[in-house]
Amino acid sequence: MKDRLTETEISMILDTYMYFDYQNANDGESLSEIMEGMRINHQEVIDSHPNEYAILSQAVSYDEVGKLKISCQSIKMGYNDGTRGACFESEDNNTIYVALRGTADGEWLDNGYGMTEEVTTQQEEAVKYFDEVVLKHNITSNQRLITTGHSKGGNKVQYITMDSKNSKLIDKCYSIDGQGHSERAINKWKEKYTKEEYDERVSKIYGINGQNDFVSVLGNSVILSSHIFLVETPSETNDYAAYHDITRMFGTLSYDENENACISYSPHKNKYVLRRGILGEYVSSLSDDIMKLDPNIRDGCAATLMQTIEILNKGRWSGLGHEHVTKDDLLEFFAFGTPAIFKSLVMGPKGTKLINSIRTKEGFVPTISKDAILDINYVALENMSSLMLDTSKKLINQVQEFSDASSRMHISIKGSEYKKQDLTNASFKLFDIGKKLEGISSLQSGIAIRFKNIDTGIIS
């Protein structure tokens, strides 16, 4: 068992807590006290969110989570049901987390608009809420400020980091399975800021996504590819929703004696993996096709898809601002959206792979060897890198010895010119090999540092 929870894990745990929609917590209460109050007085909340409770009930035994104090609960500050944000302060007030939950009832249409609009109603609300939190807490650059959110919450904290006047105070933004943005939003930021300021804001954002997540691949991403990390999300093939469920990032899949699937939970996230699974790759490809549509047509397609999800999940026919799908939206979806989906499924290689996976029930996780799971032994990797660098230096030093030997070779020696040329050629090859080893050593050291930092919350 690890000795502590990383900043990444704490952020993900707080995002998990936000799904309780728990309105009985009082500002100033610690998470330990909140969870104890939930256990004693609100069993119905636990019963409706057993997986979240399994994670949180273990996580609060760690001081870095259990002693965090809640404040600025948006539901008590006059914000609409969709905003659902909260602030969590460390005991010494040196670290503050601002967490926003995923899609609430009535927000699905807003998700669709986020694929085409410069800004949506709920994104504006999120920025307004964040700026109010900064003002209420009088947050300064001397404190460590983390923004975090899952799904739509991930999209919102990305938007906050890119758009808020207080973005300079944010140290890290963790978007967990958060979708991307429209090109209009990205172009607005590129025009609004200098390249240096745009790059600085982008550099703060990290994407922690499920291996087969189908939301984080939607829209246009502003997250640097080097800042995106994929996490195992174990699930049975036909349990599609589980691939976007944040609790599965903490889950271990096993089977009982009757071959029934069982999930056990830990406060530590699962391992990082090298690449997306089949479902994640397919939805990424489909999103690329949808984003190529004319923005006006894409608007109707995205709105129809999101409204359909809202109706199927919640039976709700309009958004929080009474937005609703129009006749034109439906026509655009059936004229352009449906053919795009059909084409990607039937004709696209990733769609074909997805269908075959469903048909054969092989699962969506690609077959890769166990050593492809990035469970890094940092010390061993750094030692290997150091050894490789030493070898590189020895080879490069050998080049000088070859050069000296060549210069000492007397012209009277038979075939000396050929031998000198051979020594020169060999020295060039040694130098080339030495430099390549030096580069590999640097890369290997960088990989070790990168994954060590993401696990310890000192990401740079």
Side-chain angles (χ1 to χ4, degrees), residues 391-392 394-400 402-403 420-438:
T391 304
S392 165
K394 288 177 182 177
L395 286 174
I396 292 173
N397 289 337
Q398 195 75 29
V399 171
Q400 186 60 46
F402 272 48
S403 178
K420 282 186 176 184
Q421 188 60 48
D422 287 343
L423 283 172
T424 300
N425 291 341
S427 68
F428 283 146
K429 289 180 180 178
L430 272 181
F431 183 80
D432 185 50
I433 293 170
K435 281 296 182 183
K436 285 180 178 177
L437 276 178
E438 186 178 57

Side-chain angles (χ1 to χ4, degrees), residues 114 170-171 214 240 330 376 380 388 418 453:
I170 298 173
D171 291 284
F214 45 82
Y240 304 109
L330 290 169
I376 302 290
M388 197 176 295
Y418 293 108
N453 287 349

Side-chain angles (χ1 to χ4, degrees), residues 203-239:
S203 70
K204 297 179 179 184
I205 306 174
Y206 289 79
I208 313 296
N209 305 323
Q211 183 179 15
N212 267 301
D213 178 60
F214 45 82
V215 171
S216 56
V217 293
L218 299 175
N220 299 300
S221 179
V222 295
I223 308 176
L224 300 171
S225 59
S226 60
H227 285 193
I228 295 176
F229 297 83
L230 302 173
V231 177
E232 276 188 311
T233 46
S235 177
E236 293 187 288
T237 304
N238 60 354
D239 190 3

